Amino acid sequence: MASISLRNASLDYPLYGAYDHSLKRRLLGHLIREQSGMRIIRAVDNITIEAEAGARIGLAGPNGSGKSTLLRLIAGVYPPSCGSVAIKGNIVPLLGLNAGVNLDFVAEDNIALLLRISGRKPTRAIIDEIWAFTELEERMQRLPLRMFSSGMLMRVLFATATAFPADILLLDEWLSVVDENFSAKAQARLIKLVSQAAIVIIASHDQPLLRRTCSTIINLDHGRVASTVAVEPPATHPFELREKRA
Amino acid sequence: MTPVSEPTRPSVLHIFKVYYPDLFGGTLTVIRDICTSLKDAFTSAVLVCSKSADERRNIVVNDIAVERVQSFGDVLSLPAAPTYPWRLWRKIAQHDLLALHAPFPLADLVFAFGLARKRPLVVHWHADIVTHAGLRWFVEPLMRRTLRQAAAIIVSDHVLVDRTPLLREFADKCHAVPFGIDTTKYDWPRIDPQHVNDRGRLVLACGRLVPYKGFEVLIRAAQGRNFEVWIIGEGAERARLEQLIEELGVGDRVRLLGSVPDCERVKLMCIADVFAMPSVTNAETFGLVQLEAMAAGRPVVNTALDTAVPHVARDGIEAITVPPGDSAALGDAIDTLIRDPERRRRMGLAARTRAATRYSAAAFKNGMETVYAQVLAASTSRSATSSATPGWLDVIRIAGALAWSDMRHRYVRSLLGPFWMSLQMAIVVAVLGSVIGQMSNAGVLARLPMLALSMTAWTFLNSVVLDATTALQGSASLIRDRALPPVIFLLQCTFRQALFALHNACVPLVLWLLLTPRDLSHALAALPGLLLFIACTFALSLVLGAMATRYRDLKPIIESSLMLGFLSSPVIWSTEMINHRSTIMRLNPLTHLFAVWREPLVGGHVDTLSIVYVLACLAGLTFASWLTLVHLRKAAFWI
């Protein structure tokens, strides 16, 4: 079963300045014994999270408190500097919707490529299903994404990214991108996706949203856990949905 | 047979050298007991060898599917079945758990070469190799590798772990699960288990007629006494034992009964007065037959081996234990029991109680089931962990998809698509060809195909490396937001440029078809060299791609070095155009990287120096690539 286990995980994030990307500078620096000016910030500091199937964790905190970095650490983008990160189950990180998008390609090809990147085989039926969700015209499938308005583009990307259920779902600032008309439908779909995933971790500024969706809220500050709040299970739709599924 | 009701029952493949109906014996009984007692939780299958000429290779024994691989006889106690490792390798994927019944070096071969890593392995340690100890130096490393891969090792008694040096190395994996026996099978209705024949003098022994069973000692022990010895079993030693019986003149009291059906054997166990197990070597690890005799309520005479044998039936309680190979002591012990019916009754009762409590079939079943279930659970959780990060196959698949989409994109934007590049290549070759034609008076036309091909190869190498220097930055969002391993995008460069190179290759191909006598054998001879070229290119792009991402000022340096390398190599020149190769040209790796496939293509001979040079480069690059791959996760910080 899916589980996430972070034990005293820390991440030192090296901040490369303009000169830190220079090999010449670095070699010269060694010769003239210049102190290395590279700055390291501790983006994630000694965090321990144990999550089993069913966990709904919300990450809250001001900008730069390490929410996204923590999500990336869990997703395996960054190796932990110390401590251990053990993940069981397949992770679907939805951290940025427009990763891997090529605006010159037609919509259809973009969808197929994005599906391939997430390890799925794109079939006609799947692409049509995704397209149906976007509520865009059929012929637009063959237009390059460059010609789409930003709202349309987001519909396509959102529909593609959320087409398949995941064991572990990592969401960064969900829904802030989708336009008003589409929002209700997208919301419903995300909630469905969340209800199907074994573990969900959401980073957001939106406290009411976190309280609606999560069972635990972790407040981060400067990479450290400032407080952990257990949320009373609300009787709103995520719960009803889960019961219906059962 | 009933159809499998729950498809979720995990399946276990038992691996051993022989199975029913080709042979009978303790180990086979154990395998059969495991299969039948676990049939509610696991489906079992058996893969063994068989000497029999019987055409039926797949048979069903006691509801268990058995596949028998053809063997041509025994060599050093091992079946000579050359196809066994192959069959085993093929079958591994069909099962969830592998149960190897050791020792079986033929299967160790498969496990030692790591061909079964995908499935969890349980080793049932039945015995150490005793008979052909001279082959230990060869077999032991194999067995060690197998044990290292095993998720669990099952032994019949903990004493085996303490006494076997090889098992001591893996003591933390060893589980002692004593064999179990169903004592109700030995409730022979006509004879009360407590029954003792006051004037009884029947000594029973049972086992294959092989040297380690020590029947020779038992026959010698019978000399000059007045008990009778019946030996159940068949085997290669029969003729020798018969001769011994004749020589000692004990033919009236010692009988070799041969093979006996199971129910008859139970009856014989029940009517015997003393059960003897005179085994002489540690190949006897447990002695399932003595447990059967105990279940039948018989007193046992066993031997003081370094194995579980004297622990199953303990000296003075259920048995009299004598030194192995000592026929006088064995005879004395039997005589002691024969003369003392009360002691026989007492020991028999103790034996039956011990068999029913300490060695119950239920405990055996539970023990096996627990170990199997633990191993399966551990392996599924491990495989789930590994699926969290894409495997190598996924990496290649994603890189391929990305490269393919890059190429399609070129087609989308223009009518000619990547053939623009082919056209460009054709123009370059035409211009270069005419220039070179001015410089030397040799036949220009004949040299054009090679020039075109060299330019194609050079373009490939150059663009792969240059692409790689910016690939990671270009895919920053996929690396950071979709958590894709950075190596995908370096691989994508090679794939993409390989696809473009195939388009460019039209030019040399057309020229080759038009201008030269077509000799396919030369093209085949050039293939290994070409593969070396591609491998070096990929490794170079991996190393330089990662370094150029970390140190941005490397890119211009790489660009100019490649150009220098190109100009100081005979890529556009052919060897005869330069009479005295300059030192720089000889030191230039590009010279040799091209020589290894260009020379065979024109029917020439590759200089050994070139091959050594290229192989050394490849070795160095492979090492550097390995270092790069180790550190590539940090690339997420660099982009």
Side-chain angles (χ1 to χ4, degrees):
Chain A
M1 225 30 244
S3 75
I4 295 176
S5 162
L6 265 72
R7 296 228 173 92
N8 304 87
S10 297
L11 180 72
D12 291 323
Y13 198 103
L15 288 176
Y16 293 107
Y19 289 130
D20 298 316
H21 274 304
S22 164
L23 183 65
K24 281 172 282 189
R25 179 89 187 185
R26 174 133 185 209
L27 293 177
L28 278 176
H30 270 290
L31 282 179
I32 59 173
R33 316 235 161 170
E34 184 196 55
Q35 273 297 311
S36 164
M38 198 162 71
R39 284 187 302 138
I40 289 175
I41 53 161
R42 185 149 271 215
V44 173
D45 194 0
N46 199 16
I47 285 186
T48 300
I49 295 177
E50 298 283 342
E52 290 295 321
R56 302 278 177 272
I57 299 174
L59 299 177
N63 284 328
S65 57
K67 300 188 298 285
S68 304
T69 314
L70 181 58
L71 286 182
R72 292 206 170 101
L73 182 70
I74 294 169
V77 175
Y78 302 126
S81 311
C82 57
S84 73
V85 176
I87 311 290
K88 287 180 196 164
N90 94 306
I91 297 192
V92 171
L94 296 181
L95 303 182
L97 279 180
N98 36 9
V101 176
N102 194 324
L103 294 177
D104 290 332
F105 290 15
V106 300
E108 197 181 4
D109 288 353
N110 263 305
I111 294 174
L113 188 62
L114 287 172
L115 287 177
R116 281 213 187 272
I117 285 171
S118 44
R120 308 278 176 180
K121 205 176 153 63
T123 62
R124 192 66 252 170
I126 293 174
I127 294 177
D128 283 342
E129 202 186 303
I130 290 171
W131 200 257
F133 185 82
T134 63
E135 297 178 338
L136 296 172
E137 278 176 64
E138 186 77 28
R139 60 182 176 83
M140 289 187 76
Q141 263 193 51
R142 281 158 209 89
L143 292 181
L145 285 186
R146 193 178 290 291
M147 299 166 78
F148 283 44
S149 75
S150 62
M152 290 169 166
L153 180 64
M154 278 309 149
R155 287 188 185 203
V156 175
L157 298 182
F158 179 85
T160 312
T162 54
F164 284 98
D167 287 350
I168 300 173
L169 198 58
L170 306 179
L171 296 164
D172 197 358
E173 285 301 337
W174 81 346
L175 283 193
S176 58
V177 286
V178 183
D179 73 52
E180 210 49 47
N181 297 332
F182 191 54
S183 187
K185 194 173 178 186
Q187 185 112 6
R189 176 133 167 187
L190 256 188
I191 284 167
K192 182 157 175 262
L193 196 66
V194 164
S195 70
Q196 284 173 350
I199 300 179
V200 181
I201 303 188
I202 304 171
S204 179
H205 291 289
D206 187 350
Q207 281 284 346
L209 169 100
L210 289 183
R211 231 168 274 132
R212 269 204 315 276
T213 350
C214 300
S215 53
T216 321
I217 295 176
I218 297 175
N219 287 302
L220 290 175
D221 188 37
H222 289 96
R224 256 168 263 147
V225 177
S227 62
T228 308
V229 187
V231 182
E232 297 292 311
T236 47
H237 29 252
F239 243 78
E240 287 164 22
L241 265 172
R242 230 178 300 162
E243 275 164 9
K244 263 177 211 159
R245 261 165 43 78
Chain B
M1 264 177 77
T2 51
V4 182
S5 45
E6 322 103 283
T8 49
R9 251 188 331 172
S11 79
V12 184
L13 180 67
H14 290 274
I15 302 157
F16 194 49
K17 52 186 165 192
V18 68
Y19 196 63
Y20 302 107
D22 297 317
L23 193 80
F24 294 83
T27 309
L28 303 192
T29 315
V30 174
I31 299 176
R32 188 193 56 197
D33 286 356
I34 296 172
C35 293
T36 48
S37 63
L38 297 188
K39 69 167 180 277
D40 293 334
F42 299 91
T43 44
S44 303
V46 179
L47 182 70
V48 291
C49 305
S50 166
K51 273 183 294 197
S52 82
D54 192 342
E55 275 305 299
R56 291 173 307 135
R57 294 276 142 226
N58 289 293
I59 56 171
V60 173
V61 181
N62 298 329
D63 287 354
I64 306 297
V66 179
E67 177 174 341
R68 299 185 295 170
V69 178
Q70 176 71 52
S71 141
F72 303 104
D74 285 354
V75 180
L76 302 171
S77 312
L78 265 185
T83 53
Y84 189 91
W86 164 254
R87 283 304 307 158
L88 175 57
W89 185 58
R90 300 296 304 161
K91 282 199 81 127
I92 280 168
Q94 304 165 15
H95 298 274
D96 302 306
L97 182 73
L98 308 174
L100 169 66
H101 296 266
F104 185 24
L106 203 57
D108 286 334
L109 273 179
V110 175
F111 291 104
F113 286 111
L115 295 175
R117 290 243 171 80
K118 279 182 253 158
R119 293 287 179 272
L121 170 69
V122 173
V123 174
H124 290 266
W125 186 266
H126 291 285
D128 203 349
I129 291 198
V130 179
T131 32
H132 299 285
L135 285 175
R136 264 206 101 79
W137 63 269
F138 174 69
V139 174
E140 194 170 284
L142 289 182
M143 298 206 297
R144 183 172 288 119
R145 285 187 67 107
T146 306
L147 293 181
R148 201 172 292 149
Q149 274 187 44
I153 302 166
I154 298 179
V155 292
S156 55
D157 194 295
H158 218 84
V159 68
L160 287 171
V161 183
D162 303 332
R163 297 280 165 80
T164 317
L166 191 58
L167 283 185
R168 234 176 297 154
E169 295 173 29
F170 302 97
D172 51 331
K173 285 190 205 172
C174 290
H175 302 258
V177 181
F179 297 143
I181 192 154
D182 180 11
T183 47
T184 54
K185 252 173 66 182
Y186 294 85
D187 293 334
W188 199 48
R190 264 174 291 170
I191 293 183
D192 177 25
Q194 297 184 22
H195 164 87
V196 172
N197 183 355
D198 285 344
R199 291 197 309 281
R201 52 189 204 118
L202 176 58
V203 178
L204 189 71
C206 179
R208 280 179 300 137
L209 303 184
V210 289
Y212 85 81
K213 290 285 183 187
F215 293 133
E216 188 189 328
V217 183
L218 181 61
I219 293 168
R220 285 184 196 283
Q223 196 185 14
R225 320 251 177 190
N226 50 26
F227 53 78
E228 278 192 38
V229 176
W230 291 4
I231 299 174
I232 304 174
E234 203 53 75
E237 286 277 286
R238 189 181 183 103
R240 228 170 57 78
L241 293 178
E242 274 171 349
Q243 196 190 345
L244 182 70
I245 292 168
E246 203 173 314
E247 275 171 21
L248 297 178
V250 290
D252 54 332
R253 286 183 293 115
V254 180
R255 291 167 60 189
L256 301 180
L257 302 181
S259 287
V260 159
D262 258 4
C263 60
E264 282 297 306
R265 200 158 54 102
V266 170
K267 196 157 70 180
L268 285 169
M269 290 267 185
C270 293
I271 62 167
D273 298 300
V274 174
F275 185 83
M277 201 177 65
S279 301
V280 288
T281 74
N282 287 345
E284 191 73 81
T285 50
F286 186 87
L288 199 65
V289 271
Q290 67 173 342
L291 186 58
E292 289 172 355
M294 286 162 73
R298 298 301 104 189
V300 177
V301 178
N302 59 14
T303 46
L305 297 171
D306 266 348
T307 62
V309 168
H311 300 266
V312 176
R314 295 159 298 177
D315 186 26
I317 307 174
E318 297 95 11
I320 297 181
T321 304
V322 298
D326 186 342
S327 57
L330 182 67
D332 287 347
I334 294 172
D335 261 348
T336 312
L337 286 174
I338 295 283
R339 277 198 302 268
D340 190 346
E342 175 51 30
R343 189 166 176 195
R344 268 189 279 147
R345 199 186 61 79
R346 213 173 50 234
M347 277 186 147
L349 265 179
R352 190 172 160 88
T353 314
R354 186 164 167 82
T357 52
R358 177 88 166 75
Y359 298 101
S360 75
F364 177 65
K365 174 177 179 265
N366 282 341
M368 286 292 168
E369 215 171 292
T370 315
V371 174
Y372 280 14
Q374 271 174 7
V375 167
L376 268 178
S379 91
T380 46
S381 71
R382 203 171 15 182
S383 68
T385 318
S386 64
S387 78
T389 52
W392 272 108
L393 211 63
D394 293 324
V395 164
I396 291 173
R397 205 173 285 147
I398 295 174
L402 286 169
W404 184 249
S405 122
D406 288 341
M407 206 202 53
R408 279 191 44 173
H409 190 217
R410 292 236 179 178
Y411 277 105
V412 169
R413 273 199 307 199
S414 69
L415 200 63
L416 272 176
F419 287 100
W420 270 120
M421 294 189 1
S422 314
L423 205 63
Q424 222 175 332
M425 175 62 67
I427 295 167
V428 167
V429 169
V431 172
L432 274 179
S434 74
V435 171
I436 291 167
Q438 297 292 315
M439 285 160 67
S440 77
N441 32 21
V444 182
L445 281 184
R447 210 176 291 131
L448 271 185
M450 185 51 88
L451 179 66
L453 190 60
S454 299
M455 281 309 292
T456 307
W458 163 250
T459 314
F460 170 68
L461 189 149
N462 192 42
S463 357
V464 167
V465 173
L466 289 187
D467 255 9
T469 55
T470 49
L472 295 182
Q473 293 156 65
S475 310
S477 63
L478 276 175
I479 294 175
R480 282 153 69 137
D481 292 345
R482 299 300 290 268
L484 291 181
V487 68
I488 288 180
F489 306 101
L490 296 175
L491 200 59
Q492 180 196 359
C493 297
T494 303
F495 283 175
R496 178 175 51 213
Q497 293 303 334
L499 287 173
F500 293 158
L502 285 180
H503 284 84
N504 283 347
C506 298
V507 180
L509 188 69
V510 169
L511 290 173
W512 182 64
L513 289 175
L514 288 177
L515 295 175
T516 49
R518 283 149 235 165
D519 192 348
L520 211 60
S521 67
H522 287 169
L524 283 179
L527 217 54
L530 207 57
L531 287 178
L532 274 179
F533 177 84
I534 294 171
C536 282
T537 306
F538 172 59
L540 192 68
S541 74
L542 204 63
V543 176
L544 292 182
M547 283 181 63
T549 311
R550 174 67 186 84
Y551 298 109
R552 301 284 160 84
D553 54 343
L554 269 179
K555 187 174 188 279
I557 300 176
I558 293 170
E559 264 168 27
S560 51
S561 327
L562 278 173
M563 187 45 78
L564 268 180
F566 169 66
L567 290 176
S568 63
S569 75
V571 174
I572 49 175
W573 332 110
S574 66
T575 27
E576 65 263 27
M577 286 171 68
I578 314 142
N579 293 330
H580 307 285
R581 290 207 216 162
S582 70
T583 322
I584 288 186
M585 210 169 268
R586 243 180 299 151
L587 286 175
N588 186 352
L590 280 179
T591 311
H592 304 282
L593 212 47
F594 276 84
V596 288
W597 57 268
R598 278 206 327 189
E599 296 297 329
L601 200 56
V602 294
H605 193 73
V606 194
D607 204 358
T608 326
L609 183 76
S610 291
I611 298 179
V612 172
Y613 200 117
V614 168
L615 286 179
C617 280
L618 187 62
L621 281 173
T622 311
F623 177 69
S625 306
W626 174 74
L627 275 183
T628 308
L629 284 177
V630 171
H631 290 285
L632 206 55
R633 254 184 111 189
K634 289 191 209 136
F637 296 128
W638 305 336
I639 47 184

